Every structure is written in structure tokens, then in C-alpha cells.
Amino acid sequence: MTRENTHTVAATAQEDWDARAAAFDDEPDHGLRDPEVRAAWADRLRAWLPERPADVLDLGCGTGSLSLLAVGQGHRVTGVDRSPAMAERARTKLAGHTATILCGDAAAPPVGEERFDAVLVRHVLWALPDPAAALRHWRTLLRPGGRFVLVEGVWGTVSPVGIPSGRLVALLEPLVRQVRVEQLSGHSRLWGKEVDDERYAVVATV
């Protein structure tokens, strides 16, 4: 039986993320504390990110759970989150690893002239005021042959919020040479529960 969707990432685009930082990792797919959930995300990242050690930009990194998995797979990670409390928790989580955590806007990350092999974004693009403009800017941060790894979805049934996969693909197509959509709704190990809404990943190569 499908359990009620209690996923809270998409409650509103205007969250007080500093206030939520202390309890953020309580969600199974945020803190990745359950070994099965953590292993499921590690497997996905291994398939989505470059095989060789790469420079990864994790935008809206939250408390740094995906960043930690990426550095564990040999990548060099720069994480960006606009919430100082989230960024501080990410710094603590990634202490001693090859990672830099910055506080700033995911839509215009404060990375200067640095360029990356992958831009990793999970459950952030839907909440930005202009997703198309954000994607165009992120494209300038990718090296030739780099890739987007975008995990998004549509949450809720009465007043759904999010970005349908078709819309995201349409936004990406002018910017990339190859797009692949991977449906994630049926993979309960990723979420720590069964879900009945649209969740997916888009991997797009420039």
C-alpha cells in the first residue's frame, strides 16, 4: 500500500531554511542516515556523475548529504546554500574532506571564474523565481563536456508544486546536446518510503 506522502521539501518556495536546519536531516532522503537510503543515493550518484574524479558544484546543498557521498566517490565538491545554518551544518559534515561550502544564492552561486565538470541540483530548481535563467547561468559554469544532474519532481495533489519532467527537458534542450530522464518515483529506497508523486532525475550533457 502506498503510504501518505509526507515529503516536506516542497512545502513552499519561501521556507525559513535557517529555522529548518536543525531538523532537516530527519527526513530519510535528506540526512541519509538509513544505510539502505544512503546506499541507494550513492548508487545513483555513481551512475550520474563522471566516472573519474571531477569538480562537482552542488547547488542548494542543504546540510551536505549528497556532497558527502560525492566526495566519498573521489570527487571535489563545492557546495552552495543560501541558508547560513544549512551551510554551517554542511561544513561540519564535510570537515576533513575535499570540499568547500559557500553561503550564497543557488541561482547565481559565488564561484567567480571557477568551472565544473558537473552541476548537481536536488529539489531546488522548482523553487527559483526564474528556472530558465538559472539553467542558462549554470550552463556557463560547466566545462566542455560537463553535465547537469538535476533531481526534481512535482509534489502534492490538491495544489501541486514543482517542475514536470517535460517542462524541465524543454528548458534544457537549447542548452545541451543530450538529455536523459530517469524516473525515480517507484524507487522507495531513495525516499525511505513509498511515494505516489512524480520524482525524477535529468542528466544532460553539454
Side-chain angles (χ1 to χ4, degrees):
M1 177 180 296
T2 299
R3 300 195 313 196
E4 181 182 359
N5 174 26
T6 57
H7 198 263
T8 58
V9 165
T12 170
Q14 300 300 322
E15 291 282 1
D16 182 353
W17 294 108
D18 281 335
R20 289 192 56 196
F24 188 76
D25 279 355
D26 291 346
E27 281 284 335
D29 58 312
H30 293 171
L32 307 185
R33 292 166 174 162
D34 184 296
E36 286 194 0
V37 176
R38 185 167 59 251
W41 280 101
D43 287 346
R44 297 291 169 158
L45 284 189
R46 195 171 289 109
W48 295 335
L49 294 175
E51 292 183 12
R52 61 179 176 78
D55 294 308
V56 177
L57 179 60
D58 183 2
L59 296 175
C61 67
T63 60
S65 294
L66 290 189
S67 292
L68 184 61
L69 290 182
V71 298
Q73 295 176 6
H75 301 297
R76 301 169 295 274
V77 176
T78 299
V80 177
D81 202 280
R82 71 182 308 163
S83 161
M86 291 282 194
E88 187 55 37
R89 287 178 177 272
R91 290 188 189 102
T92 299
K93 191 177 289 187
L94 286 146
H97 295 279
T98 310
T100 300
I101 304 298
L102 305 173
C103 192
D105 185 357
V111 295
E113 298 301 313
E114 191 171 357
R115 296 297 176 262
F116 300 87
D117 302 300
V119 168
L120 171 65
V121 188
R122 183 175 68 165
H123 300 162
V124 172
L125 189 65
W126 74 273
L128 299 180
D130 191 343
L135 288 169
R136 289 194 299 269
H137 181 62
W138 297 344
R139 170 65 181 82
T140 70
L141 303 178
L142 283 169
R143 295 177 178 134
R147 68 184 68 179
F148 290 102
V149 177
L150 308 174
V151 181
E152 287 292 339
V154 178
W155 299 270
T157 54
V158 178
S159 300
V161 294
I163 299 181
S165 57
R167 180 184 173 212
L168 181 49
V169 168
L171 292 176
L172 279 169
E173 282 180 337
L175 307 175
V176 302
R177 61 180 176 84
Q178 186 177 29
V179 181
R180 176 170 60 87
V181 179
E182 187 173 330
Q183 296 298 330
L184 303 178
S185 299
H187 300 276
S188 59
R189 287 181 61 209
L190 291 169
W191 317 110
K193 58 193 173 188
E194 294 183 0
V195 299
D196 56 7
D197 45 24
E198 181 184 11
R199 305 188 189 193
Y200 63 89
V202 171
V203 180
T205 306
V206 302

Coordinates of all heavy atoms in Angstrom, one line a residue, residues 36-69:
E36 N 20.3 1.8 3.9 CA 19.7 1.5 2.6 C 19.5 2.7 1.8 O 19.7 2.7 0.6 CB 18.5 0.7 2.8 CG 18.7 -0.8 3.3 CD 17.4 -1.6 3.1 OE1 16.4 -1.1 2.7 OE2 17.5 -2.8 3.4
V37 N 19.0 3.8 2.4 CA 18.7 5.0 1.7 C 20.0 5.6 1.2 O 20.1 6.1 0.1 CB 17.9 6.0 2.6 CG1 17.7 7.3 1.9 CG2 16.6 5.4 3.0
R38 N 21.0 5.6 2.1 CA 22.3 6.2 1.7 C 22.9 5.4 0.6 O 23.4 6.0 -0.4 CB 23.2 6.2 3.0 CG 24.6 6.9 2.7 CD 25.3 7.1 4.0 NE 25.6 5.9 4.7 CZ 25.0 5.6 5.9 NH1 24.1 6.4 6.4 NH2 25.3 4.4 6.5
A39 N 22.8 4.1 0.6 CA 23.4 3.3 -0.4 C 22.7 3.5 -1.8 O 23.3 3.5 -2.8 CB 23.3 1.8 0.0
A40 N 21.3 3.7 -1.7 CA 20.6 3.9 -2.9 C 21.0 5.2 -3.6 O 21.2 5.3 -4.8 CB 19.1 4.0 -2.6
W41 N 21.2 6.3 -2.8 CA 21.6 7.6 -3.4 C 23.1 7.5 -3.9 O 23.4 8.1 -4.9 CB 21.5 8.7 -2.4 CG 20.1 9.2 -2.3 CD1 19.1 8.9 -1.4 CD2 19.4 10.0 -3.3 NE1 17.9 9.5 -1.7 CE2 18.1 10.2 -2.8 CE3 19.8 10.6 -4.4 CZ2 17.2 11.0 -3.5 CZ3 18.9 11.4 -5.2 CH2 17.6 11.6 -4.7
A42 N 23.9 6.7 -3.1 CA 25.3 6.6 -3.6 C 25.3 5.9 -4.9 O 26.1 6.3 -5.8 CB 26.1 5.8 -2.5
D43 N 24.5 4.9 -5.1 CA 24.5 4.1 -6.4 C 24.0 5.1 -7.5 O 24.6 5.0 -8.6 CB 23.5 3.0 -6.3 CG 24.0 1.8 -5.5 OD1 25.3 1.8 -5.2 OD2 23.2 0.9 -5.1
R44 N 23.0 5.9 -7.2 CA 22.6 6.9 -8.3 C 23.6 7.9 -8.6 O 23.9 8.1 -9.8 CB 21.3 7.6 -7.8 CG 20.1 6.7 -7.6 CD 19.6 6.1 -8.8 NE 18.6 5.0 -8.6 CZ 17.7 4.6 -9.4 NH1 17.6 5.1 -10.6 NH2 16.9 3.6 -9.1
L45 N 24.3 8.4 -7.6 CA 25.3 9.4 -7.9 C 26.5 8.8 -8.7 O 27.0 9.4 -9.6 CB 25.9 10.0 -6.6 CG 25.0 11.1 -5.9 CD1 25.8 11.7 -4.8 CD2 24.5 12.1 -6.8
R46 N 26.8 7.6 -8.4 CA 27.9 6.9 -9.1 C 27.5 6.7 -10.6 O 28.4 6.8 -11.5 CB 28.1 5.5 -8.5 CG 29.4 4.8 -8.9 CD 29.7 3.6 -8.1 NE 30.1 3.9 -6.7 CZ 29.3 3.7 -5.6 NH1 28.1 3.2 -5.8 NH2 29.7 4.0 -4.4
A47 N 26.2 6.5 -10.9 CA 25.8 6.4 -12.3 C 25.7 7.8 -13.0 O 25.9 7.9 -14.2 CB 24.4 5.7 -12.3
W48 N 25.3 8.8 -12.2 CA 25.0 10.1 -12.8 C 26.3 11.0 -13.0 O 26.4 11.7 -13.9 CB 24.0 10.9 -11.9 CG 22.7 10.3 -11.8 CD1 22.1 9.4 -12.7 CD2 21.7 10.5 -10.8 NE1 20.8 9.1 -12.3 CE2 20.6 9.7 -11.1 CE3 21.7 11.2 -9.6 CZ2 19.5 9.7 -10.3 CZ3 20.6 11.1 -8.8 CH2 19.5 10.4 -9.1
L49 N 27.2 10.9 -12.0 CA 28.4 11.8 -12.0 C 29.5 11.2 -12.9 O 29.4 10.0 -13.2 CB 28.9 12.0 -10.6 CG 28.0 12.8 -9.7 CD1 28.5 12.9 -8.3 CD2 27.7 14.3 -10.3
P50 N 30.5 11.9 -13.3 CA 31.6 11.3 -14.1 C 32.3 10.2 -13.4 O 32.3 10.2 -12.1 CB 32.5 12.5 -14.3 CG 31.7 13.7 -14.1 CD 30.6 13.4 -13.1
E51 N 32.8 9.3 -14.2 CA 33.5 8.1 -13.6 C 34.8 8.5 -12.9 O 35.1 8.0 -11.8 CB 33.7 7.0 -14.6 CG 32.5 6.4 -15.2 CD 32.8 5.3 -16.2 OE1 34.0 4.9 -16.3 OE2 31.9 4.8 -16.8
R52 N 35.5 9.4 -13.6 CA 36.8 9.9 -13.0 C 36.5 10.9 -11.9 O 35.5 11.6 -11.9 CB 37.6 10.5 -14.1 CG 37.0 11.7 -14.8 CD 37.9 12.2 -15.9 NE 37.2 13.3 -16.6 CZ 37.1 14.6 -16.1 NH1 37.6 14.9 -14.9 NH2 36.5 15.5 -16.8
P53 N 37.5 11.2 -11.1 CA 37.3 12.3 -10.1 C 37.1 13.6 -10.8 O 37.8 14.0 -11.8 CB 38.7 12.3 -9.4 CG 39.2 10.9 -9.5 CD 38.7 10.4 -10.8
A54 N 36.1 14.3 -10.4 CA 35.6 15.5 -11.1 C 35.3 16.7 -10.1 O 35.2 16.4 -8.9 CB 34.4 15.2 -11.9
D55 N 35.2 17.9 -10.7 CA 34.8 19.0 -9.9 C 33.3 19.1 -10.0 O 32.7 19.3 -11.1 CB 35.5 20.3 -10.4 CG 37.0 20.3 -10.2 OD1 37.4 20.0 -9.1 OD2 37.7 20.5 -11.2
V56 N 32.6 19.0 -8.8 CA 31.2 19.0 -8.8 C 30.7 20.2 -8.0 O 31.2 20.5 -6.9 CB 30.7 17.7 -8.1 CG1 29.1 17.7 -7.9 CG2 31.1 16.5 -8.9
L57 N 29.7 20.9 -8.6 CA 29.1 22.1 -7.9 C 27.7 21.6 -7.4 O 26.8 21.3 -8.2 CB 28.9 23.2 -8.9 CG 28.3 24.5 -8.4 CD1 29.0 25.1 -7.2 CD2 28.2 25.5 -9.5
D58 N 27.5 21.5 -6.1 CA 26.3 21.1 -5.5 C 25.5 22.3 -5.1 O 25.8 22.9 -4.0 CB 26.6 20.1 -4.3 CG 25.3 19.6 -3.7 OD1 24.2 19.8 -4.2 OD2 25.5 18.8 -2.7
L59 N 24.5 22.7 -5.8 CA 23.7 23.9 -5.6 C 22.5 23.6 -4.7 O 21.7 22.7 -5.0 CB 23.3 24.5 -6.9 CG 24.5 25.0 -7.8 CD1 24.0 25.5 -9.1 CD2 25.3 26.1 -7.0
G60 N 22.3 24.5 -3.7 CA 21.2 24.2 -2.7 C 21.6 22.9 -2.0 O 20.8 22.0 -1.8
C61 N 22.8 22.9 -1.5 CA 23.4 21.6 -0.9 C 22.8 21.3 0.4 O 23.0 20.1 0.9 CB 24.9 21.7 -0.8 SG 25.5 23.0 0.4
G62 N 22.0 22.2 1.0 CA 21.5 21.9 2.3 C 22.5 21.5 3.4 O 23.5 22.2 3.5
T63 N 22.3 20.4 4.1 CA 23.3 20.0 5.1 C 24.5 19.2 4.5 O 25.3 18.7 5.3 CB 22.6 19.2 6.2 OG1 22.0 18.1 5.6 CG2 21.5 20.1 6.9
G64 N 24.5 19.1 3.2 CA 25.7 18.5 2.6 C 25.7 17.0 2.4 O 26.7 16.4 2.2
S65 N 24.5 16.3 2.5 CA 24.5 14.9 2.5 C 24.9 14.3 1.1 O 25.7 13.4 1.0 CB 23.1 14.3 2.8 OG 22.8 14.6 4.1
L66 N 24.4 14.9 0.0 CA 24.9 14.5 -1.3 C 26.3 14.9 -1.6 O 27.1 14.1 -2.2 CB 24.0 15.1 -2.4 CG 22.5 14.5 -2.5 CD1 21.9 15.1 -3.8 CD2 22.5 13.0 -2.5
S67 N 26.7 16.0 -1.1 CA 28.1 16.4 -1.2 C 29.0 15.4 -0.6 O 30.1 15.0 -1.1 CB 28.4 17.8 -0.6 OG 27.7 18.8 -1.3
L68 N 28.6 14.9 0.6 CA 29.5 13.9 1.3 C 29.6 12.6 0.5 O 30.6 12.0 0.4 CB 28.8 13.7 2.7 CG 29.6 12.7 3.6 CD1 31.0 13.3 3.9 CD2 28.9 12.5 4.9
L69 N 28.5 12.2 -0.1 CA 28.5 11.0 -0.9 C 29.5 11.2 -2.1 O 30.2 10.3 -2.5 CB 27.1 10.6 -1.5 CG 26.1 10.1 -0.4 CD1 24.8 9.7 -1.1 CD2 26.7 8.9 0.3

